[in-house]
């Protein structure tokens, strides 16, 4: 039988400060053989996510990634050998394969995916990013037409879709992103009404100018100072959809959290709700139907940032945390 070589990227040491490519090492082992009930998958595209870094800090909605193990990560993969009912070679799946060429996984841990063109959309707009934007904005943020929606990490994979979905729903949309180029892209290409450069502008003042009627929905991807600035400008009965806290993922543990909690929340009757995209997976088909129709109608522009080569995955994650990416960053493995 054909001997398959499996390249793997190990997390050799957990970072105590900023993540760097030196925390990883490339190694090679023979590909595993699937057991009864398992399939062997070949990884095609690895999804790079800000949360990859958070998993190194400790248990989140999944167990922590430990030093010495294959770096965890979601991927679009193709079944190459099956010892499970209902899955055959050639089938496409989404799975936590980790950063490697091959993984043998129980069939029940795989999400079967349709063939779409381009395939990469299965990791962006029709993947976790698109569904997180959709459920977080529409089910947690619940904006109505005419309201003001603000989103942070707005040029990232989730944020760029949140803003565009906000426009579909008739809202005024303000993005917060790092750098003038990203801000110009949000307003010029993606149809955001305004954008604030949190690295250069006076955040509080620029936000006030961009959202003169206050904020009804804040989609929070970053936490920290940006959450604090938005909290102070929330309207009565505003909603804050807590999606993530990128500002706290990389580097040494930060100082204290945002001021204004709970005082502003009480006075303004705010709802601040965390969510995990899988909470809404029973409504996935309806969400995908909406996302597909908006893409087809040209209402959602899908920005993807595809980098070639498994060996480049560590550098690509470090770059993502530093703000290199626009839209969904992923690695083409093979
Ligand atoms: N709740 C869920 O189920 C769920 C699911 C998926 C993702 N998430 C969360 O959603 C958020 C967005 O993820 P994503 O995959 O869209 O991100 P992404 O595309 O990976 O974008 C990351 C962006 O964050 C920005 N950033 C980095 N450090 C920052 C800081 N200190 N302050 C402000 N912005 C910073 C950078 O852009 P700039 O150039 O603008 O700084 C960077 O490009 C993350 O918090 C992630 O954990 C949650």
């Amino acid at each position: 039988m054909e001997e398959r070589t499996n390249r793997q990227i190990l997390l050799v040491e957990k970072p105590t400060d900023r993540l760097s490519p030196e925390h990883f090492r490339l190694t090679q082992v023979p590909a595993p053989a699937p057991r009864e009930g398992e399939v062997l998958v070949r990884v095609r595209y690895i999804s790079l996510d800000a949360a990859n870094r958070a998993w190194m800090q400790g248990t989140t909605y999944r167990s922590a990634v430990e030093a010495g193990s294959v770096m965890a990560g979601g991927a679009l993969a193709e079944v190459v050998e099956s010892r499970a009912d209902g899955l055959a070679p050639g089938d496409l799946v989404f799975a936590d394969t980790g950063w490697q060429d091959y993984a043998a996984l129980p069939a029940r841990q795989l999400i079967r995916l349709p063939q779409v063109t381009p395939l990469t959309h299965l990791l962006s707009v029709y993947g976790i990013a698109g569904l997180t934007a959709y459920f977080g904005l529409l089910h947690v943020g619940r904006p109505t037409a005419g309201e003001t929606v603000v989103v942070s990490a707005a040029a990232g994979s989730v944020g760029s879709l949140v803003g565009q979905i906000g426009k579909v729903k008739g809202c005024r949309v303000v993005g917060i992103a790092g750098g003038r180029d990203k801000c110009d892209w949000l307003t010029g290409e993606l149809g955001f009404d305004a954008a604030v450069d949190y690295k250069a502008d006076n955040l509080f003042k620029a936000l006030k100018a961009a959202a003169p009627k206050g904020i009804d929905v804040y989609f929070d991807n970053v936490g920290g100072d940006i959450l604090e600035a938005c909290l102070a400008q929330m309207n009565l009965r505003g909603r804050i959809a807590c999606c993530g806290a990128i500002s706290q993922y990389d580097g040494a543990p930060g100082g204290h959290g945002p001021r204004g909690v709970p005082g502003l929340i009480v006075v303004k009757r705010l709802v601040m709700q965390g969510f995990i995209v899988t909470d809404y997976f029973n409504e996935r088909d309806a969400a995908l139907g909406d996302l597909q129709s908006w893409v087809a109608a040209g209402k959602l522009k899908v920005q993807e940032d595809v980098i070639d080569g498994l060996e480049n995955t560590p550098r690509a994650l470090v770059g993502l945390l530093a703000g290199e990416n626009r839209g969904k960053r992923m690695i083409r493995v093979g």
Side-chain angles (χ1 to χ4, degrees), residues 94-298:
F94 179 80
D96 186 349
T97 61
W99 293 3
Q100 55 186 341
D101 289 306
Y102 293 98
L105 296 166
R108 64 186 146 72
Q109 289 179 10
L110 310 177
I111 297 175
R112 196 162 173 173
L113 297 173
Q115 293 279 352
V116 304
T117 305
L119 267 189
T120 49
H121 278 20
L122 292 170
L123 284 188
S124 58
V125 65
Y126 306 138
I128 299 293
L131 292 169
T132 300
Y134 183 96
F135 291 125
L137 183 64
L138 301 183
H139 290 231
V140 182
R142 291 175 286 105
T144 55
E147 286 191 326
T148 297
V149 171
V150 172
V151 57
S152 49
S157 59
V158 174
S160 59
L161 294 168
V162 168
Q164 294 182 82
I165 296 172
K167 289 310 297 175
V168 169
K169 295 295 174 184
C171 300
R172 175 175 176 79
V173 171
V174 178
I176 303 175
R180 205 64 254 160
D181 283 356
K182 281 189 179 179
C183 289
D184 289 346
W185 177 66
L186 293 174
T187 51
E189 295 286 324
L190 300 192
F192 284 49
D193 297 286
V196 170
D197 174 1
Y198 76 95
K199 289 183 174 164
D201 296 339
N202 174 315
L203 181 61
F204 191 86
K205 276 192 188 158
L207 201 51
K208 205 152 187 77
K213 292 186 186 163
I215 304 169
D216 298 295
V217 176
Y218 171 48
F219 192 106
D220 186 23
N221 282 319
V222 304
D225 292 344
I226 294 178
L227 169 59
E228 189 169 301
C230 290
L231 256 177
Q233 298 188 35
M234 294 298 296
N235 288 332
L236 206 64
R237 301 193 195 287
R239 286 84 62 201
I240 300 177
C242 297
C243 179
I246 296 176
S247 70
Q248 284 145 46
Y249 292 170
D250 199 21
H256 50 75
R259 285 157 291 195
V261 181
L264 282 168
I265 292 181
V266 175
V267 174
K268 292 185 176 174
R269 288 79 152 175
L270 303 179
V271 175
M272 192 169 178
Q273 186 188 330
F275 72 98
I276 294 293
V277 60
T278 47
D279 299 345
Y280 299 95
F281 263 21
N282 58 348
E283 293 171 70
R284 202 157 54 115
D285 289 347
L288 288 172
D290 281 345
L291 291 167
Q292 274 159 358
S293 71
W294 295 334
V295 170

